[in-house]
Amino acid sequence: MTLDFSVVTDAWQSLAFGALGTLFLAIAGMSIATVIGVLGVAILRAQMRVPSFLVTAFVEVIRNTPFLVQIYFIFFALPLAGVRLNPTITAILALGLNGGAYAIEIIRGGVESIPTGQTEAGLALGLHKHEVFRFIVLKPAIRAIYPSLSSQFILLTLTTSICTSISAYELTSVGQRIEAETFRSFETYFTLTGIYLVISLATMWLLAEIGRRAFNYPQR
Amino acid sequence: MTHPNETKTAQPMVMMRDVEKYYGTFHALKNINLTVAKGEKIVLCGPSGSGKSTLIRCINALEVSHGGEIVVAGHSLHNDQKAIDAVRRVVGMVFQQFNLFPHKTVLENCILAPMRVRKLSRAEAEATARKYLERVRIGDQADKYPAQLSGGQQQRVAIARALCMEPKAMLFDEPTSALDPEMVKEVLDTMVSLARDGMTMICVTHEMGFARQVADRVIFMADGEIVEENDPENFFRAPKHQRTRAFLGEILAHH
Ligand SMILES: Nc1ncnc2c1ncn2[C@@H]1O[C@H](COP(=O)(O)OP(=O)(O)OP(=O)(O)O)[C@@H](O)[C@H]1O
Ligand SMILES: [Mg+2]
């Protein structure tokens, strides 16, 4: 068997756009996941029974079901409820919800690692609980778990490939099309592997850079 | 005939009557009765676990008490948020572990609550912060982060941070216990100068020199009860109770 990478090099534009699609899904998904993570933990901290239960249930459902089923569920269930979303929006929503559930768990761990003295100092100064969370606890908490959160987000970036199942525009779907048109499976997936590796490394760098800038205060 | 202002000044800063406190089944405060007048300086001492921290933390509602009555600056603490807010607004607290916010500079530590709680503008809050940082002689460190300061400097920032709320009373919970010996003095000096300026102070401390110098009354606690209280002169010269004598013997042996 001879290898022929021209099928891949000929399609470099599609691949480049696919890679951008993947990055877009990943970054949008991470942003939503971060918001869900922070809001979820804020709700848990407010210690109101019904909202806390809903957050806990959400986390458990997401963490104990496969992502592929979740994305199909959103894709096919929402239209039944009269909501029509295009595949890309659906993918971002699914990635955000899935990543958000894991982010809640991780950020909650970070919040619990912050000494109670921090909260007490805030309360003693007259701040309310929600202000203590927002201005005092949140940043050090996220710093404490930033490495775990970053790994989770790398995972989220790779999970974007599953979004091909609902034909969202991203790298794996581009690869599948090239393969279908050329029958050059090895060359195609070898190349995809390389591109995913680069995307992963780039995401890692991006997250590290964000962390370096956001958490630039010295620690004991 | 009493002048209206006179009744006001006669109102105590802190009034605790028959206060009880439980942690689960553990009886941490037993029938506490304590009145602190405006401008008065109280030193609270006693063995570890006797309830000193619990007592002062009841005053600003960091702990909920279970019986009796606590009135602070005219506000009766009955676990409604309004009264708690009003009390915390006028009572500052300094902790053993400083509890500065590590992600904020010294200045940011000092302006957060004044901006959120007192609704000062940033400029006003910064001016206030610089004034009190100067006051604790640490004005030149305003842009540093807590981790870049020594323990003594951190504790002085914590005092300045509390003063930025312009409190009427200050609670201190062993403010020098976490400090290296050479830094104790700078913090005590700050507290002495605060006392000289007429601040109402309730200090949990084993610094007996400080007690002699500024306290109007020294209170000794054991097993959740106030065992003995007296002016410092008589407290140290002629302690009435055996437990007080034993405690003083131990403390003074270490100094
Ligand atoms: N959150 C809590 N839960 C259960 N028990 C507690 C709690 N806080 C304090 N206690 C108990 O209440 C008692 C009084 O504690 P407190 O911290 O007021 O003592 P203290 O006089 O300040 O002692 P120390 O000198 O060690 O600071 C101790 O026996 C302590 O174990
Ligand atoms: Mg204590």
Side-chain angles (χ1 to χ4, degrees):
Chain A
M1 170 182 140
T2 54
L3 292 179
D4 177 9
F5 274 94
S6 68
V7 297
V8 185
T9 46
D10 288 349
W12 73 269
Q13 274 180 320
S14 310
L15 286 167
F17 278 117
L20 285 179
T22 290
L23 261 181
F24 175 68
L25 290 185
I27 290 173
M30 287 188 255
S31 310
I32 295 177
T34 306
V35 172
I36 291 178
V38 170
L39 287 181
V41 174
I43 292 170
L44 289 176
R45 260 178 77 91
Q47 291 177 326
M48 292 180 293
R49 273 190 42 200
V50 175
S52 290
F53 172 79
L54 292 177
V55 170
T56 310
F58 164 72
V59 170
E60 291 309 320
V61 168
I62 295 284
R63 296 206 316 154
N64 293 291
T65 53
F67 181 69
L68 185 58
V69 173
Q70 291 165 13
I71 195 168
Y72 276 141
F73 181 84
I74 297 174
F75 194 56
F76 295 115
L78 282 185
L80 295 181
V83 184
R84 276 205 183 276
L85 297 176
N86 73 34
T88 300
I89 303 285
T90 306
I92 290 172
L93 194 62
L95 288 165
L97 289 171
N98 182 276
Y102 287 94
I104 289 173
E105 275 301 286
I106 295 171
I107 295 173
R108 188 173 65 159
V111 167
E112 279 165 12
S113 77
I114 302 302
T116 52
Q118 292 285 304
T119 299
E120 290 174 352
L123 293 176
L125 283 165
L127 297 166
H128 286 153
K129 263 176 86 173
H130 66 273
E131 294 171 311
V132 168
F133 177 71
R134 185 169 149 204
F135 298 110
I136 297 173
V137 173
L138 188 57
K139 192 167 178 179
I142 292 185
R143 180 179 189 162
I145 48 75
Y146 196 69
S148 318
L149 194 62
S150 299
S151 319
Q152 191 63 46
F153 281 175
I154 298 297
L155 214 57
L156 183 150
T157 305
L158 300 178
T159 305
T160 55
S161 82
I162 295 180
C163 300
T164 192
S165 57
I166 57 163
S167 313
Y169 188 76
E170 44 69 60
L171 185 58
T172 301
S173 62
V174 171
Q176 284 176 343
R177 208 163 52 242
I178 297 173
E179 187 210 9
E181 286 164 7
T182 64
F183 304 106
R184 287 284 172 180
S185 308
F186 175 79
E187 289 87 337
T188 307
Y189 287 111
F190 183 84
T191 308
L192 284 202
T193 305
I195 301 176
Y196 271 116
L197 193 60
V198 171
I199 291 175
S200 259
L201 293 174
T203 310
M204 240 182 260
W205 174 84
L206 180 71
L207 290 170
E209 196 60 20
I210 291 172
R212 207 172 57 76
R213 280 162 202 262
F215 307 118
N216 62 350
Y217 58 92
Q219 254 177 338
R220 293 254 127 188
Chain B
M1 206 187 96
T2 49
H3 192 267
N5 277 342
E6 236 163 87
T7 52
K8 232 181 160 186
T9 39
Q11 178 193 63
M13 184 59 78
V14 176
M15 198 280 291
M16 301 176 90
R17 194 168 52 77
D18 301 335
V19 171
E20 308 283 339
K21 164 76 189 172
Y22 293 86
Y23 290 111
T25 55
F26 179 76
H27 203 169
L29 291 183
K30 300 169 187 161
N31 191 37
I32 298 294
N33 285 282
L34 172 66
T35 302
V36 182
K38 284 191 176 140
E40 208 180 359
K41 289 106 185 87
I42 306 284
V43 161
L44 201 56
C45 61
S48 179
S50 56
K52 309 177 296 291
S53 299
T54 305
L55 190 155
I56 64 165
R57 290 158 57 88
C58 282
I59 294 173
N60 66 349
L62 286 183
E63 302 287 354
V64 183
S65 56
H66 298 124
E69 197 188 3
I70 302 178
V71 183
V72 184
H75 305 282
S76 180
L77 280 173
H78 277 121
N79 204 20
D80 74 300
Q81 193 60 41
K82 268 220 173 102
I84 292 175
D85 285 347
V87 167
R88 287 179 182 162
R89 174 63 198 77
V90 294
V91 176
M93 186 164 198
V94 174
F95 300 84
Q96 182 173 355
Q97 300 298 337
F98 328 136
N99 297 345
L100 295 180
F101 310 134
H103 57 302
K104 294 183 175 294
T105 64
V106 164
L107 190 70
E108 289 165 350
N109 263 274
C110 290
I111 64 175
L112 173 63
M115 288 176 67
R116 304 290 312 179
V117 182
R118 292 179 63 200
K119 313 285 183 204
L120 297 188
S121 71
R122 175 172 287 272
E124 290 167 325
E126 283 188 6
T128 310
R130 292 197 189 279
K131 177 172 103 188
Y132 287 112
L133 287 170
E134 283 305 328
R135 168 96 196 270
V136 302
R137 292 175 294 105
I138 202 157
D140 51 339
Q141 314 282 344
D143 295 322
K144 287 201 176 162
Y145 286 94
Q148 295 167 319
L149 303 180
S150 73
Q153 290 173 319
Q154 289 191 57
Q155 194 60 301
R156 284 186 282 141
V157 171
I159 294 172
R161 181 176 71 177
L163 291 177
C164 286
M165 293 299 291
E166 318 226 293
K168 294 180 178 162
M170 290 276 284
L171 310 172
F172 292 85
D173 193 353
E174 305 207 31
T176 57
S177 300
L179 296 175
D180 293 336
E182 71 271 19
M183 294 170 187
V184 169
K185 188 171 178 300
E186 67 190 60
V187 171
L188 287 179
D189 286 348
T190 307
M191 292 169 63
V192 169
S193 101
L194 204 56
R196 296 254 154 83
D197 289 353
M199 178 66 77
T200 308
M201 293 165 70
I202 303 176
C203 313
V204 175
T205 181
H206 292 160
E207 294 293 338
M208 293 304 146
F210 173 79
R212 279 182 203 279
Q213 201 177 345
V214 309
D216 297 306
R217 265 188 295 159
V218 183
I219 295 177
F220 174 72
M221 284 184 78
D223 296 331
E225 290 178 291
I226 293 180
V227 173
E228 175 162 358
E229 61 174 275
N230 216 330
D231 58 275
E233 166 71 20
N234 287 306
F235 181 86
F236 293 113
R237 195 176 47 78
K240 294 196 261 309
H241 286 260
Q242 170 52 30
R243 292 208 61 164
T244 319
R245 283 195 290 270
F247 174 77
L248 285 177
E250 232 169 85
I251 290 261
L252 299 175
H254 290 162
H255 280 252

